[in-house]
Amino acid sequence: MEVSNFLKKHYKHFNAASLIDAAEGYKTHLNNGGKMLVTLAGAMSTAELGIILAEMIRQDKIHAISCTGANLEEDIFNLVAHDFYERVPHYRELSAADEEELLSRHLNRVTDTCIPEEEAMRRLEHTVLKYWMKADQEGKSYFPHEFFYQILLSGELEQYYQIDPKNSWMLEAAKKNLPIICPGWEDSTLGNIYAGHVISGDVKNVHTMKTGIQYMMELANWYTETAREESTIGFFQIGGGIAGDFPICVVPMLHQDLQRTGVPLWGYFAQISDSTTSYGSYSGAVPNEKITWGKLGKDTPKFMIESDATIVAPLIFAIVLDM
């Protein structure tokens, strides 16, 4: 409880107070029997959020995840190639020539961290291609995360592990068969690689990989089966973009497009955002705007923390975990 006690003593106002309120609201929601969907935008996996996210999954504080394709794959990149990553703390001072030098060494930079292409991306491609081709030859199709689950649970990558596997959120999710939604997966490194293998003919049927529309259908089924008036689903959004925008729309779809009744709204909402409301961005919209779209109700607990997710998310999770 040391971290939680420190935060509650010192985090009294402004975004700090919103952090505490969101964390306590998260705990209240779970204590009342609710479930929680967490969304991951940006480069949270490369930021190694998996260290605490995996613990949240282990302790059943997270019941589903929506994330970008980048976050899906980059947790596994980190799992198998961590020792080859390079940190560039002076990234703000890099010249164009410096960036070209990183490129020549096959180091792809994400802010202050360089992902090693050969040891991370190509190593995983070599393994995942076998699973893509096998499914293709058998006439089967799977979601992107399902292919990763198959690989992780097979143990085939264990020889390459370079971090403590308990710090991989994808590995922990695979063990629990956690529901994952990954809209726009094709906008990722492995999405590009998959397209290349379809073009080259290694994978014959492009639909060996299930699509975003099928992800929405899967989410609709899960939400309908899981959400009850006495056990609603909360929505904890890290960042913005498609990882959050896509899944939150399942509720108005169920109500307005499928004309279903008795489906509760999201029962809790919190977002860590650095987007500016006045720019018209959906990611920066204050939670009340979502009432007009039929996603949240006027009485839904709503929280907005305008800050850096790499700082805020671990602190909120620490409170939820009573650390």
Side-chain angles (χ1 to χ4, degrees):
M1 292 287 289
E2 289 184 12
V3 176
S4 297
N5 289 337
F6 175 87
L7 293 173
K8 291 172 185 178
K9 179 178 179 179
H10 296 282
Y11 280 39
K12 299 292 189 183
H13 301 281
F14 318 136
N15 278 304
S18 296
L19 183 158
I20 300 297
D21 293 342
E24 292 298 334
Y26 194 129
K27 292 179 69 173
T28 298
H29 179 76
L30 295 185
N31 290 338
N32 288 338
K35 306 295 185 182
M36 190 66 72
L37 179 143
V38 170
T39 80
L40 304 174
M44 292 297 102
S45 289
T46 291
E48 297 190 74
L49 189 66
I51 295 171
I52 196 164
L53 194 65
E55 187 63 26
M56 289 283 285
I57 295 170
R58 261 191 299 277
Q59 294 197 26
D60 295 317
K61 307 298 185 184
I62 294 173
H63 306 92
I65 285 179
S66 172
C67 70
T68 58
N71 277 299
L72 200 66
E73 66 192 13
E74 287 177 15
D75 180 77
I76 306 176
F77 291 164
N78 182 61
L79 176 64
V80 301
H82 182 269
D83 294 349
F84 296 96
Y85 278 59
E86 289 193 22
R87 186 162 177 263
V88 187
H90 58 286
Y91 66 91
R92 292 181 180 87
E93 303 167 16
L94 295 178
S95 66
D98 293 330
E99 304 282 17
E100 279 200 333
E101 194 271 334
L102 291 173
L103 172 65
S104 71
R105 295 169 56 210
H106 303 285
L107 292 171
N108 303 129
R109 185 169 69 83
V110 181
T111 312
D112 70 345
T113 303
C114 293
I115 302 175
E117 180 179 329
E118 294 300 321
E119 293 81 6
M121 300 167 187
R122 299 307 168 191
R123 176 173 290 169
L124 191 55
E125 176 188 7
H126 175 74
T127 300
V128 76
L129 178 58
K130 293 187 298 184
Y131 284 78
W132 290 343
M133 292 177 65
K134 181 176 183 292
D136 186 55
Q137 291 161 8
E138 293 176 350
K140 296 178 180 178
S141 61
Y142 299 99
F143 287 115
H145 78 276
E146 291 178 320
F147 278 112
F148 285 138
Y149 280 5
Q150 293 169 23
I151 293 168
L152 289 168
L153 295 176
S154 76
E156 191 167 338
L157 293 177
E158 286 183 11
Q159 60 184 313
Y160 302 118
Y161 286 1
Q162 295 185 351
I163 63 170
D164 188 330
K166 73 180 179 64
N167 291 333
S168 165
W169 75 262
M170 273 293 292
L171 184 57
E172 202 61 43
K175 291 176 182 177
K176 285 184 173 285
N177 195 26
L178 192 79
I180 288 183
I181 305 300
C182 184
W185 170 80
E186 57 271 19
D187 179 24
S188 67
T189 297
L190 284 170
N192 294 159
I193 288 171
Y194 180 79
H197 284 293
V198 174
I199 292 169
S200 67
D202 296 322
V203 177
K204 308 299 182 187
N205 181 4
V206 67
H207 296 297
T208 296
M209 189 70 67
K210 290 186 177 180
T211 68
I213 295 298
Q214 288 166 293
Y215 260 133
M216 180 56 80
M217 294 164 63
E218 188 81 1
L219 176 59
N221 289 335
W222 177 79
Y223 193 96
T224 301
E225 293 170 1
T226 306
R228 301 286 183 270
E229 289 296 344
E230 67 279 4
S231 179
T232 61
I233 302 172
F235 197 96
F236 187 88
Q237 182 171 343
I238 300 175
I242 194 171
D245 298 351
F246 183 89
I248 202 168
C249 290
V250 72
V251 170
M253 184 196 77
L254 290 169
H255 289 164
Q256 299 167 21
D257 302 323
L258 291 173
Q259 297 291 301
R260 293 185 184 175
T261 58
V263 179
L265 300 173
W266 295 98
Y268 161 100
F269 177 84
Q271 180 179 3
I272 306 168
S273 175
D274 63 358
S275 184
T276 304
T277 302
S278 63
Y279 288 172
S281 67
Y282 181 75
S283 299
V286 296
N288 274 359
E289 184 174 305
K290 293 170 176 58
I291 296 174
T292 71
W293 292 87
K295 299 165 184 174
L296 306 177
K298 65 181 179 63
D299 297 322
T300 305
K302 309 174 191 69
F303 310 93
M304 173 77 87
I305 308 106
E306 295 173 321
S307 187
D308 184 333
T310 62
I311 297 170
V312 170
L315 296 178
I316 290 178
F317 291 160
I319 293 174
V320 173
L321 292 167
D322 291 323
M323 296 174 68

